[in-house]
Amino acid sequence: MTQELNDGLPAREAALTLIDAALSRRGGLDEAASANGFRFLEPRERAFARALAMAVLRHLGPIDRALAARLQKAPPDRVMHLLRLGAAQAFHLEVPAFAAVATSVELAGANKTSRPFKGLVNAVLRGLLRDAPPSNDPTLLAPPWLYSRWVAAFGEATAREIAGQIALEPATDLSLKPDADSAALAQALEGEILPGGSLRLRRKGDVAAWPSFEDGTWWVQDAAAAIPARLLDVKAGEAVLDLCAAPGGKTLQLAAAGADVVALDRSAARLKRLEENLVRTGLTAEVVAADGAAWDDERTFDAILLDAPCSATGTFRRHPDVLWAARPGDVASLAGVQARILDSAADRLKPGGRLVYCVCSLEPEEGEAQVEAFLARRPDMALDPIAPGEGGAPEASLTPRGTLRLLPHQLDGGQDGFFAARFRKA
């Protein structure tokens, strides 16, 4: 093997660790990416390892179908991940076929579990690469049980549109401070201003090195994720509670609008990132680590934003691992959590106050069904319909009830999947 191929082995080994973590447990990929073994790689190797893992996860369904046709039985997990990695390199990352095969065989021989399968890895990958590339049929890109749910909720044509976004690498969206010169920033960052004011970039590389990062003029936040805070329409001096606030993009929006913000989240570790961004942007908020459903505080608020814990199936553009780590029972169990926090939020709202409920989920039980159940048990709360285009939402996202069902394909270039509803307290 050439020295050039050997130089890429640590990144490929790290990619195997990321893939294994992503497919074995929810949140596993992010945990693995923050572990010491990954962080000690050179920046270029880290970026390559992550790109490899993401290519596997975005195309996992078609790759696995192509591999299954060449395997009589499933090999050990490490061997299966090596085969996936070799296929993804050759078909989706423009790695030369000989390098995709050679590095996979070399990695197989470097581990006692996979060493006996070196010949299998070599034969399967060489055979696969003689075939046509695996189909990118959208119906294969999501787990079958999840795709079936989308068909039931949105119809076959829309489900195909949603699933088609899985294979696409997303752009980076930024939210700007209200006083930022968006036109100048768009020019400096080579970006496009979206409805609602988000800035969309195709730029790659270290975000911290981009223009105006150190100034705190902007922060990374998906265009769809920025809409719920705009729907709250907070005014300077209002008392606002951001429930389930981490990682903090919505807190920054509310604080930038001049509100007196309490940012609450049960994860103290995730709140550290929020606090770092408050410092960088020069914004202020009271940060509290507590369970939103059981927080012992008698204050009431003019407005509350609840971005509730959910299955996160709408975030697959940047987190394709959520599709494969999710289980059918997750939706029902999380719906109970959402209902408890929704009631807690309503209790903390002043008379006449506004509440925006949102989830980064595509599942109706976490969105539309949650709204109807909430209204049925809370006569003190009324739906406050959202207007067409409000908050920068695509008009196609507006439902007949005046809520938002933001689907990934409804914005050119894609967006996260979200549901949002706004309420007022009697």
Side-chain angles (χ1 to χ4, degrees):
M1 177 178 291
T2 66
Q3 183 62 39
E4 181 181 356
L5 293 183
N6 275 306
D7 287 344
L9 290 179
R12 288 174 169 87
E13 186 65 53
L16 289 175
T17 301
L18 293 179
I19 294 163
D20 183 66
L23 297 180
S24 61
R25 63 192 184 279
R26 177 179 287 275
L29 188 145
D30 286 340
E31 287 178 25
S34 61
N36 285 342
F38 188 82
R39 290 191 292 113
F40 289 159
L41 291 173
E42 293 295 321
R44 181 175 59 84
E45 291 179 317
R46 280 202 305 273
F48 184 41
R50 193 170 184 92
L52 288 168
M54 286 295 182
V56 169
L57 295 169
R58 288 194 175 109
H59 301 276
L60 186 63
I63 286 174
D64 276 6
R65 171 175 277 204
L67 289 173
R70 292 187 166 272
L71 293 168
Q72 292 184 343
K73 63 178 182 177
D77 285 349
R78 177 179 170 85
V79 177
M80 193 67 189
H81 296 335
L82 280 167
L83 293 170
R84 290 162 168 159
L85 192 61
Q89 289 177 76
F91 292 125
H92 302 295
L93 290 177
E94 300 180 355
V95 173
F98 80 90
V101 175
T103 52
S104 298
V105 172
E106 185 78 4
L107 288 170
N111 181 279
K112 64 180 182 181
T113 300
S114 53
R115 194 173 298 130
F117 295 88
K118 282 180 65 175
L120 176 75
V121 170
N122 183 58
V124 169
L125 286 179
R126 286 185 181 277
L128 192 67
L129 293 172
R130 286 194 294 268
D131 297 338
S135 168
N136 254 353
D137 180 347
T139 66
L140 303 179
L141 288 169
W145 71 270
L146 198 50
Y147 185 79
S148 294
R149 288 181 60 88
W150 296 347
V151 171
F154 309 115
E156 180 71 42
T158 298
R160 288 181 67 90
E161 294 268 20
I162 293 169
Q165 295 286 319
I166 296 170
L168 307 179
E169 185 176 358
T172 299
D173 296 338
L174 309 180
S175 288
L176 316 180
K177 282 184 172 177
D179 58 354
D181 187 336
S182 56
L185 278 171
Q187 184 173 11
L189 290 162
E190 302 172 19
E192 168 196 4
I193 301 172
L194 300 178
S198 293
L199 193 60
R200 172 156 291 182
L201 317 179
R202 289 293 173 186
R203 174 186 287 252
K204 306 295 181 187
D206 182 7
V207 170
W210 294 356
S212 298
F213 175 85
E214 291 295 339
D215 301 341
T217 306
W218 52 261
W219 54 91
V220 176
Q221 185 178 27
D222 188 83
I227 291 171
R230 297 185 192 128
L231 299 178
L232 209 52
D233 191 25
V234 300
K235 304 294 189 294
E238 283 191 315
V240 178
L241 174 62
D242 185 4
L243 272 171
C244 310
K250 298 176 182 68
T251 297
L252 298 178
Q253 288 179 276
L254 299 170
D260 295 328
V261 183
V262 175
L264 184 144
D265 197 279
R266 67 183 305 170
S267 172
R270 297 182 73 225
L271 283 172
K272 289 180 180 177
R273 182 177 167 194
L274 188 157
E275 291 173 320
E276 291 168 358
N277 275 318
L278 285 171
V279 172
R280 181 176 66 83
T281 57
L283 298 170
T284 59
E286 178 186 343
V287 180
V288 179
D291 183 336
W295 182 38
D296 186 16
D297 192 298
E298 295 184 357
R299 283 179 288 180
T300 55
F301 297 86
D302 299 301
I304 297 177
L305 177 58
L306 170 55
D307 187 354
C310 69
S311 62
T313 52
T315 67
F316 64 69
R317 293 165 61 251
R318 289 178 177 79
H319 305 284
D321 52 306
V322 302
L323 300 175
W324 303 100
R327 298 292 178 266
D330 292 347
V331 175
S333 62
L334 285 163
V337 174
Q338 293 149 11
R340 288 195 298 275
I341 304 178
L342 251 173
D343 284 332
S344 177
D347 292 340
R348 300 179 194 280
L349 203 58
K350 294 178 180 178
R354 295 104 61 206
L355 166 64
V356 168
Y357 168 79
C358 65
V359 284
C360 53
S361 165
L362 295 169
E363 315 316 309
E365 296 94 324
E366 300 180 273
E368 292 87 346
Q370 200 65 257
V371 165
E372 299 309 325
F374 178 63
L375 291 171
R377 69 177 180 269
R378 297 294 304 228
D380 58 331
M381 301 296 297
L383 199 60
D384 183 6
I386 297 163
E390 190 176 352
E395 291 200 18
S397 303
L398 190 64
T399 73
R401 283 283 270 156
T403 60
L404 289 181
R405 171 51 75 187
L406 296 146
L407 298 177
H409 66 285
Q410 290 172 335
L411 181 68
D412 287 344
Q415 63 181 356
D416 280 356
F418 258 86
F419 175 85
R422 183 172 55 200
F423 306 91
R424 283 192 182 270
K425 193 167 187 176

